Amino acid sequence: MFFRRLNWNVVGWFNTVSYISYAIIALGVAAMVYHYATTGSALRLGLSFTGGTDITVTYKQSVTRDQIATALQKVGVSDAQINTLTKPGDVGTPRWTVETQKDFGNNSGPLKAALGAIAPIDPSQVSVSTVGPSLSHEYLFNAIKALVIAIAIQFLYIAFRFGWNYIFGLVTVIALVRDSAMMIGIYAIADKRVDDAFLAAVLTVIGYSVMDTIVILDRIRENVKLMAGQKFDTIVNTSILQTMTRSVNTLATVVVTLVALLALGGASLQNFAFALLVGICSGGYHSIFYSAPLVAKLQNAQRARAHTGSSNL
């Protein structure tokens, strides 16, 4: 109930909120251009998209990341993503996972030998998997297609849910596209590897953002009847403040969980948690401060055009 008592003009902050989003997206685009110029790839794509080799090994004694990196260079691997699967204080032998875009195919012997030269390896705890380029290209195409289909379905659902009001559906789609663009931009700025965990996070964030946005849009629809006669900007602003406590509490609960995963989870969980954390925060930010004010802006523009048209008759 705290936000209901505030005299915030959230609708009036629309331009500032938009500029902040544009700035983050622009920085992300600049980072992607830089990465493309220096590495030939705008984003650090994971093996699911580029193809390559993933090997997990368990050593019988402690080794360091630098030792593994030096050993891999002897077999021509310089792009390896090296992560430990053993947390500090854990009981047991150290486990490591190595991802490289170099495809060893069925000839993983030199790779195993290079890693085994550092320290003795438990042969029963070695796993090697490869992803071919044809599969990775198909995976990338399907990922983009899934994202487009998800956004299109959301537009149709929102428009139907609110009596085929295209403004509500359009606002939701614009916010989802901006959420996705901000996630990609922040990933480029942080130079994080984009893999299937990132794709899962994007699709999850789409669902979360729509859920939060629907709550605000539904309150706007109710208040249009309850606050008949008042300016539409006032109705939208009141609706935002009335639902903000619920939105902030939901966001805080999710963020606490994701921060715990990011701090304490394994390598794969940390990447997933980072993507979700970025997306959830972006989704909450846009749902509260961007989507609803955009409804007011588009609604006012529509009424202005209708008024101008009727005046010309």
Side-chain angles (χ1 to χ4, degrees):
M1 303 298 290
F2 169 75
F3 293 101
R4 289 174 180 260
R5 298 191 296 269
L6 296 178
N7 191 28
W8 286 358
N9 183 16
V10 180
V11 174
W13 301 344
F14 177 77
N15 289 334
T16 302
V17 170
S18 297
Y19 293 147
I20 292 174
S21 298
Y22 288 135
I24 295 174
I25 294 172
L27 288 173
V29 171
M32 286 189 283
V33 171
Y34 172 77
H35 292 320
Y36 184 80
T38 55
T39 66
S41 177
L43 294 169
R44 291 180 58 198
L45 298 178
L47 300 188
S48 300
F49 298 106
T50 63
T53 304
D54 182 1
I55 181 170
T56 301
V57 296
T58 301
Y59 286 97
K60 296 182 178 180
Q61 64 186 57
S62 297
V63 298
T64 65
R65 181 177 279 101
D66 290 340
Q67 287 178 304
I68 295 176
T70 301
L72 291 172
Q73 289 177 358
K74 297 178 181 178
V75 290
V77 176
S78 58
D79 66 335
Q81 180 78 12
I82 306 170
N83 292 301
T84 180
L85 300 178
T86 304
K87 301 183 183 65
D90 283 357
V91 178
T93 53
R95 299 178 63 226
W96 293 84
T97 178
V98 176
E99 296 181 359
T100 173
Q101 293 181 3
K102 184 173 181 179
D103 188 358
F104 284 88
N106 296 324
N107 185 27
S108 59
L111 180 59
K112 294 179 182 177
L115 293 173
I118 306 172
I121 290 177
D122 185 350
S124 63
Q125 298 294 321
V126 176
S127 64
V128 182
S129 60
T130 60
V131 179
S134 60
L135 175 60
S136 64
H137 293 159
E138 180 183 357
Y139 201 168
L140 179 58
F141 174 76
N142 288 337
I144 296 173
K145 184 169 67 174
L147 183 59
V148 172
I149 291 174
I151 291 177
I153 292 175
Q154 296 290 1
F155 171 78
L156 293 175
Y157 171 74
I158 297 298
F160 168 76
R161 176 70 174 77
F162 292 95
W164 295 112
N165 187 330
Y166 82 93
I167 287 180
F168 284 6
L170 181 62
V171 164
T172 302
V173 170
I174 292 174
L176 291 180
V177 171
R178 289 171 75 97
D179 286 340
S180 302
M182 284 186 67
M183 286 184 68
I184 294 172
I186 292 175
Y187 250 66
I189 295 170
D191 198 22
K192 288 283 187 177
R193 179 163 294 193
V194 176
D195 53 14
D196 42 6
F198 172 79
L199 173 61
V202 170
L203 295 176
T204 302
V205 166
I206 286 176
Y208 174 86
S209 299
V210 169
M211 177 193 70
D212 203 29
T213 302
I214 285 177
V215 172
I216 302 175
L217 297 183
D218 205 39
R219 183 57 61 91
I220 293 174
R221 183 176 61 175
E222 293 175 356
N223 284 339
V224 166
K225 300 175 183 178
L226 297 174
M227 302 173 62
Q230 297 198 36
K231 292 178 60 177
F232 192 72
D233 284 7
T234 302
I235 295 174
V236 171
N237 201 75
T238 301
S239 302
I240 295 171
L241 295 177
Q242 287 176 346
T243 57
M244 191 178 292
T245 298
R246 173 208 176 272
S247 298
V248 171
N249 288 343
T250 303
L251 177 64
T253 302
V254 177
V255 167
V256 168
T257 304
L258 292 177
V259 169
L261 280 177
L262 191 61
L264 304 175
S268 58
L269 279 179
Q270 286 176 341
N271 196 38
F272 181 66
F274 179 82
L276 273 181
L277 186 62
V278 170
I280 293 296
C281 291
S282 172
Y285 171 77
H286 279 125
S287 296
I288 299 171
F289 299 105
Y290 181 82
S291 298
L294 182 58
V295 169
K297 188 177 183 65
L298 294 178
Q299 189 76 29
N300 290 335
Q302 185 185 56
R303 291 179 177 178
R305 287 194 301 268
H307 178 72
T308 302
S310 62
S311 299
N312 293 332
L313 293 177

